[in-house]
């Protein structure tokens, strides 16, 4: 658990080095919301083998938010 927390903290620090903290956190929140929206849409669609499309859509939408969104998409993707 300590290793995971350390890795998350280091990736957060590295991702924020050139940007304002608040904008990074806002982008990360919006990116996580994009991922959640794609997951909800996938559950609602309920089609077999459609998960790859919705995961790709969520990752793309989150990454378009900026470095914070890309970071959130990467962290959430690793949990899948």
């Amino acid at each position: 658990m300590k290793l995971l927390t350390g890795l998350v903290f280091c990736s957060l620090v590295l991702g924020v080095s050139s940007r304002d903290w608040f904008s990074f956190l806002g982008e990360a929140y919006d990116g996580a919301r994009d991922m959640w929206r794609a997951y909800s849409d996938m559950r609602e669609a309920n089609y077999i083998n459609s998960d790859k499309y919705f995961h790709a859509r969520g990752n793309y939408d989150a990454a378009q938010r900026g470095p914070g969104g890309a970071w959130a998409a990467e962290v959430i993707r690793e949990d899948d």
Side-chain angles (χ1 to χ4, degrees):
M1 188 65 178
K2 290 180 183 180
L3 177 63
L4 178 63
T5 304
L7 290 173
V8 169
F9 181 74
C10 287
S11 63
L12 180 64
V13 169
L14 291 173
V16 177
S17 63
S18 64
R19 304 254 323 188
D20 185 34
W21 279 91
F22 294 112
S23 67
F24 182 85
L25 292 176
E27 291 168 357
Y29 175 77
D30 290 338
R33 209 173 65 213
D34 289 335
M35 297 288 288
W36 179 257
R37 186 173 45 245
Y39 175 75
S40 298
D41 291 346
M42 179 183 69
R43 300 279 298 180
E44 184 180 331
N46 199 23
Y47 287 118
I48 296 174
N49 296 327
S50 66
D51 57 333
K52 290 183 181 181
Y53 165 76
F54 287 105
H55 286 279
R57 193 190 82 188
N59 286 333
Y60 175 79
D61 290 343
Q64 293 300 306
R65 298 278 182 183
W71 176 80
E74 184 176 333
V75 169
I76 293 170
R77 184 187 69 219
E78 291 176 0
D79 290 341
D80 285 345

